[in-house]
Structures are given as structure tokens and as C-alpha cells.
Amino acid sequence: MTDLPTRVEIREEGPREGFQIEPGPIPTARKIALVDALSATGLHHIQVCSFVSPKIVPGWADAEQVAAGFDPKPGVTYTALWFNAAGMNRALTFRDRMKVETAVTVVASEAFSLKNLNRDRAKNIEAQHVNVRAHQEAGVPVTRISVQAAFGCNYAGDVPVEAVMQALEDAFAIGAANGLTLPEATLADTMGWATPARIERVVGEVRSRWPDLSLILHLHDTRGLGIANAHAGLRMGIHRFDTTVGGLGGCPFAGQPGAPGNIASEELVLLCQEMGIETGVDLDALVEAGRLAEEVVGHRLPSTLLRSGTLARFRRAA
Amino acid sequence: MTDLPTRVEIREEGPREGFQIEPGPIPTARKIALVDALSATGLHHIQVCSFVSPKIVPGWADAEQVAAGFDPKPGVTYTALWFNAAGMNRALTFRDRMKVETAVTVVASEAFSLKNLNRDRAKNIEAQHVNVRAHQEAGVPVTRISVQAAFGCNYAGDVPVEAVMQALEDAFAIGAANGLTLPEATLADTMGWATPARIERVVGEVRSRWPDLSLILHLHDTRGLGIANAHAGLRMGIHRFDTTVGGLGGCPFAGQPGAPGNIASEELVLLCQEMGIETGVDLDALVEAGRLAEEVVGHRLPSTLLRSGTLARFRRAA
């Protein structure tokens, strides 16, 4: 009846997502402390910073210092985010400490493309060609597609599955024109529109068309359905999820001030553990890292598990 | 593959659950205002107050005033909660405004029975016999079983399915001894231990043994899995859920200060609506009632949908 994975990869994006949205300033040493705490939890994949313009994202003006300052743990893949050749060049400085790879970014909603990327989808496709070539010239692998607004859009409403399919077609065409196969794709619920039924529908249709494409879900818990959506993904055999410790981050989009951001890493780890799915993560240590994240940003984070504690703690005491 | 219901009954318990736990005092008129706002949302079932000792629950010292003060709307069933004949007699005063019925309450965890009811399960069974007879003598229907700690326990850890089955057996025996059939049962995740897999397991086993028993899920969102658990219930055809607007309430049990309480009514309504399941509820009106609830208690409630707004609002604007 279901196609549950035996092992799930939690792709921790708390530092990057969280510090880009906090009003701050947060001391660089505290950002580094959180990355190091996360490294000790058993997470295998941590996105540590964003190489974007400090004018646009002041919270990441110290990206270089964080990238240089954390203590890389063997077996953990560290990544960063950037959107253009300038960001790539900054990331390449840290090639010895980070996996430097990028994605072809496409958008399933024209309205969101205009609002968020400041260009329509056609112009974004042109920009992605340029971006892919810049990365290829620098020897940086481009292996992934990232589809934004794949489940709905605050500016366009419902996003038809056909728009997701078209976005993927566009990305594959960009890849093909540049000799790339693009074996993996992230479907991002950028504005928190997904429901379990929508996950099933979109994942199902994408799989039917591209059965060999490896899918990653990037889910936001904007309306309380985030973990239910992750569960729907697990049931369909999705085994890689972007999450943030404590639910760090938030929704930077209009009309949703104070809305939660990504699903909380520890809540997804709890769900996996209780379903007998391996994550490699020490949940108690991750909850402690979440509490550290709250100290670092100076306010409560959305994760409920930070308030209530793990089941393991109660089992031990029982 | 699934057995989705076409219609779901949202059993709103926000006033009763919420005001019993808030440090307060909250003016009686504000409690009444919330009940009246909820009545206008299309909800069909609202629990308005608790007839318990004001020494134990000071927040419900004004239960009579609230019960007398709200404006009953035709088509809405109003209920209250109580645990003994004294509470029943207080409720009976409002028989013209409320449905006066009670449940046989059993506990699936011995440790929780001792902590919460201050008696072991055997003593609780004796007490339930007394309670059932008192209600029968007063002509009050006893139609439901309530199983507390049905999915896990902060004091005992995991609760085996067999303990849930035994608790139900006990309740049916109490019923049989008093000539009652007890056609419905609430399975309560009192301390937030449920997972989708556990919901499937417990509901599945209870159904196999008592296929005609109508089940209600009372879920807490203590660790972020509440809506995923509700979704698992929906997939099994469960069509009645206890919820609280805004996620009013909280977890009064040791070790979990600040942990969220019941799943938020509006998040479950959203899930149902997006799955094409009727609830009769105007979601925008319910979100407004949730915001009123936040004003009344004077702090933010756990519901994320209150922060982010309904999809309908964005669809209209798109």
C-alpha cells in the first residue's frame, strides 16, 4: 500500500534559512556555534550560509566568516546557497570545506517569478542558461533542478500540475542545451500551499513522466500541514527532505508576516524514528541544537517538539 | 486505497479546553463572545464549559454564567464536560440550551490513571459504575466511551494496543452491567504520543474487534504530528474529531510546560476542504474566531494558520 523508504536524508537548512530572515544582527560566532552543534547531531547534510548580496540579505554579510569558521566534521556534507556567478566565486573559496554544486532554478508560477526573481519565466530561462554556463566554465557541477512554487502561489493561487511539468521541461531543456542530464529535482512548497493530496498528485505525475528523477521535498509549515505533507511524501518513497532545526526561517512573502517557515527538522526526525525509518540523527541532540537556535535568534521558534521534548526522554523516565 | 469520509464533524472544544488552562482571570463576557463567534462559523458541535470544582479548575468558576449567557444558534449542538453527579446536576440546569450526555471514561495507562484521576484503573472502573448509575437515575444518556492515553503516556511510555483493547473491554463491561450498548468511543491522545502509524494500528485493531463502534479522535499537537495523525484518521474513514480553535488549550501534564494542546480546528478544516471533504465551516470566519480567541486569552495561540491566512484569501486576491 505504501512505498516507505528505509532511510531518510534530512537536509538541514536552518542556519541558511534562519539567519537570512532574522532582523539580527546575530554575532558570527553564534552562527558558527549553531552549525557546529548541528554537526554533532548525526545530520549528514547541512547548508551553512548564503553567498548573496549583503545589500539584499544583510543577515548574510558575514557568510565568508561563517564558512571559514565552522568546524567541518567528517561524513557531513556542508553546502551553501547562491544565485549567480558572483556568489559561486565566493563559494569556490571554500571548496575544501563545502560541496560546491548548484541547481537550475525554475518557477511554476509566472506571478511568483516576477515577484521573487524580478523577471518572468522566459527571462528566467535565459538567466539560467547563462548561470549554468558560468558554473560549467568554473567546473562546478550542476546536477539538480529546483522548482519553486510547485504547490501553490500567494500571487497566482493554485498552481496546476501542468505548470510544474512545464517548469521541469524547461529545466531539462536548459540542461540538454548544455550537455547536462540533471538526475535530481527539488519540489519546493515555497509559500505553504501543499496538502497531502496535492503532494500525492504532483509527485505522482512527475514520477510517471520522469520515473528516474530523484525527488527532494522542500516543505514549509505555513498552515500547519507541513508534517502531514512530509508523511504523504514518505508514503510515496521520497527519502530526501529540506528542513530547518526548530523551524528556523519564516515566510518572507507578502501577507504572511510571522508565518512559520520550513518544517522543523526534529519533527520530521521524530516522525521517521517512530515509523522505523533511519535518519542517523540523535533526536535529543537535535532538540538541544534547536534550543540553542532559539537562544541565538533570541525568540521562540515554531517547533512544538522543542516545547514538549522527545518521546525517548519520557520512555527513559517511565 | 483509502476510505476518506465525504463529511467530517469538527467537535470544537476551544472554550472548554482553553479557559480551563489559562492563568486568567478572563471576563465571563469574553468567554461568551468567543462561544457566540464560534456559533457563527458553521460549526455544528461546540463544547462551551466545564462543570468542575472551581477549587480544581478556577478558570471555570463561571461555568454557569457562560452556560446561561451564550446565544444558542439553531442547528448547533452545545455540550459541556463534567466528571461526577455534582457536575451533572449543574449541567442539567441548562438542559434547554445544551445536550446533556456523558461518557464512560477509561484509561489505557495505569500510571496516568493514578496521576490524573488519582485512582488506579480498578478503582476507576468502580467509580465509573457509580457514575453511570447516577446518570441513568437522572435520565441522562450515556452513549460514549472515552479512552484516555490511548496512544502513549508521559508516565508509562508506549501504551500497548492491548491496553487500549482492555480499556474498551472494561468500558463495555461497565455498560453491559448497566444495560447500555455504548455505540461510540473517543480515542484520546492525551499526551501527544500518536503518530500516523500508531493511529493506523490502534484504529485498525479496535475496528477489527468492534466493527460497529463509531470512533472519534481527540488529538493533541504536542510534537507537531497532530495534523498528520488526523490525516491518517481521515484515510481510515474517521469522520469525527475533537479540536480547538487556534489550538486553544495546552498540555497540563508534567514535563511539558508550554507545549501545544489540541490540534487547531482551522488547520483540520483546511485539510478537509483541500481534500474535498465537507465540514460546513466557513474557514475565514473560523480564523477570525481564532484571532478573537487570541485577544481573549491575551497571547498568541499555536495555530500557524492564524498567522498565515487561508488559501481562499489568496485565491480571491490572485
Side-chain angles (χ1 to χ4, degrees):
Chain A
M1 211 170 104
T2 64
D3 189 23
L4 285 179
T6 54
R7 188 172 177 88
V8 156
E9 180 181 271
I10 305 287
R11 297 157 71 93
E12 171 62 45
E13 298 196 344
R16 197 269 303 166
E17 287 261 9
F19 301 140
Q20 85 186 7
I21 204 167
E22 293 293 334
I26 294 165
T28 304
R30 298 295 279 159
K31 297 181 182 177
I32 293 169
L34 180 62
V35 173
D36 288 342
L38 290 166
S39 294
T41 62
L43 283 163
H44 292 290
H45 199 280
I46 303 173
Q47 196 170 57
V48 297
C49 65
S50 203
F51 291 112
V52 283
S53 163
K55 282 180 216 149
I56 300 171
V57 185
W60 274 121
D62 59 354
E64 269 76 5
Q65 289 93 308
V66 173
F70 76 88
D71 186 18
K73 193 183 165 193
V76 181
T77 300
Y78 298 92
T79 65
L81 185 71
W82 60 88
F83 295 105
N84 52 31
M88 173 193 75
N89 286 324
R90 293 168 66 191
L92 281 171
T93 316
F94 301 98
R95 197 161 214 171
D96 56 329
R97 306 165 63 78
M98 286 185 183
K99 188 171 181 182
V100 178
E101 281 191 359
T102 199
V104 175
T105 298
V106 285
V107 189
S109 156
E110 183 81 355
F112 185 69
S113 186
L114 285 163
K115 287 272 187 182
N116 195 49
L117 302 180
N118 205 26
R119 56 195 179 214
D120 64 16
R121 281 180 291 183
K123 281 269 188 320
N124 180 54
I125 288 169
E126 287 174 33
Q128 294 300 314
H129 275 286
V130 172
N131 199 44
V132 164
R133 283 194 295 268
H135 283 78
Q136 288 184 305
E137 281 160 22
V140 173
V142 186
T143 56
R144 188 168 56 89
I145 299 166
S146 174
V147 184
Q148 297 190 15
F151 299 93
C153 173
N154 286 0
Y155 308 105
D158 294 298
V159 165
V161 184
E162 297 70 36
V164 178
M165 306 299 273
Q166 183 59 54
L168 285 165
E169 293 276 10
D170 294 343
F172 282 120
I174 294 163
N178 295 282
L180 299 171
T181 48
L182 301 169
E184 48 192 19
T186 301
L187 301 178
D189 185 23
T190 316
M191 286 158 283
W193 281 64
T195 64
R198 209 176 296 250
I199 296 280
E200 288 169 11
R201 171 113 198 267
V202 175
V203 169
E205 298 224 10
V206 170
R207 281 245 182 90
S208 299
R209 174 84 177 76
W210 295 283
D212 296 329
L213 185 62
S214 176
L215 294 178
I216 300 160
L217 286 178
H218 179 102
L219 301 173
H220 282 225
D221 194 27
T222 317
R223 294 176 177 83
L225 309 188
I227 294 293
N229 295 335
H231 183 236
L234 286 171
R235 290 177 63 97
M236 300 190 79
I238 301 283
H239 60 93
R240 291 192 291 173
F241 294 85
D242 296 343
T243 64
T244 66
V245 68
L248 263 172
C251 186
F253 306 109
Q256 304 187 294
N262 297 66
I263 57 173
S265 310
E266 59 275 21
E267 291 180 358
L268 182 57
V269 169
L270 172 71
L271 177 66
C272 289
Q273 280 190 353
E274 295 294 318
M275 295 172 79
I277 299 170
E278 263 299 314
T279 62
V281 176
D282 175 337
L283 186 52
D284 283 300
L286 186 59
V287 165
E288 284 310 308
R291 288 176 181 147
L292 173 62
E294 289 191 317
E295 281 177 41
V296 171
V297 298
H299 59 79
R300 269 194 174 200
L301 292 174
S303 164
T304 61
L305 190 54
L306 294 189
R307 308 272 87 68
S308 52
T310 66
L311 297 179
R313 190 164 67 88
F314 288 103
R315 285 189 181 117
R316 281 193 298 270
Chain B
M1 211 169 100
T2 64
D3 189 23
L4 285 179
T6 55
R7 187 172 178 87
V8 156
E9 180 181 272
I10 304 287
R11 298 158 70 93
E12 172 61 45
E13 299 195 344
R16 196 269 303 166
E17 286 261 10
F19 301 140
Q20 87 187 5
I21 202 166
E22 293 293 334
I26 293 165
T28 303
R30 299 294 279 159
K31 296 181 182 177
I32 292 169
L34 180 62
V35 173
D36 288 342
L38 291 167
S39 294
T41 62
L43 284 163
H44 293 288
H45 199 280
I46 303 173
Q47 195 170 59
V48 298
C49 65
S50 203
F51 292 112
V52 283
S53 164
K55 281 181 215 144
I56 298 170
V57 185
W60 274 122
D62 59 355
E64 269 76 4
Q65 290 94 306
V66 173
F70 75 88
D71 185 18
K73 194 184 163 189
V76 181
T77 301
Y78 298 92
T79 64
L81 185 71
W82 60 89
F83 295 105
N84 52 31
M88 175 192 73
N89 286 325
R90 293 168 66 192
L92 281 171
T93 317
F94 302 98
R95 198 163 214 170
D96 56 329
R97 307 166 60 78
M98 286 185 182
K99 189 171 182 183
V100 177
E101 283 190 0
T102 200
V104 175
T105 298
V106 285
V107 189
S109 156
E110 183 81 355
F112 185 69
S113 186
L114 286 163
K115 287 272 186 183
N116 195 48
L117 303 180
N118 206 25
R119 55 194 180 216
D120 65 16
R121 281 180 291 184
K123 282 268 187 320
N124 179 54
I125 289 168
E126 288 174 33
Q128 293 300 313
H129 276 286
V130 173
N131 199 44
V132 163
R133 284 193 295 269
H135 283 78
Q136 289 183 306
E137 281 159 22
V140 173
V142 186
T143 57
R144 188 166 58 87
I145 299 166
S146 174
V147 184
Q148 296 188 16
F151 300 93
C153 174
N154 286 0
Y155 308 105
D158 293 297
V159 165
V161 184
E162 296 70 35
V164 178
M165 307 298 274
Q166 183 59 54
L168 284 164
E169 295 275 10
D170 294 342
F172 282 120
I174 295 163
N178 296 283
L180 299 171
T181 48
L182 301 170
E184 47 193 19
T186 301
L187 302 178
D189 185 23
T190 316
M191 287 158 282
W193 281 65
T195 63
R198 208 176 298 249
I199 296 280
E200 288 169 12
R201 171 112 197 265
V202 175
V203 169
E205 298 223 9
V206 170
R207 282 245 182 88
S208 299
R209 175 84 177 75
W210 295 284
D212 296 328
L213 186 63
S214 176
L215 294 178
I216 300 160
L217 286 179
H218 179 103
L219 301 173
H220 282 224
D221 193 28
T222 317
R223 292 174 178 85
L225 308 189
I227 294 293
N229 294 335
H231 183 237
L234 287 171
R235 290 177 63 98
M236 299 190 80
I238 301 284
H239 60 94
R240 291 192 291 173
F241 294 86
D242 296 342
T243 64
T244 66
V245 68
L248 264 172
C251 185
F253 305 109
Q256 304 188 293
N262 297 66
I263 57 172
S265 309
E266 60 275 21
E267 292 180 357
L268 182 57
V269 170
L270 173 71
L271 177 67
C272 289
Q273 281 191 352
E274 295 293 319
M275 293 171 80
I277 299 169
E278 263 300 314
T279 61
V281 176
D282 175 336
L283 187 52
D284 283 301
L286 187 58
V287 165
E288 284 311 308
R291 288 178 181 147
L292 173 63
E294 289 191 317
E295 280 177 43
V296 171
V297 298
H299 60 78
R300 271 193 173 200
L301 292 174
S303 163
T304 61
L305 190 55
L306 293 189
R307 309 271 87 70
S308 53
T310 66
L311 297 180
R313 190 164 68 86
F314 287 103
R315 284 189 181 117
R316 283 194 296 271

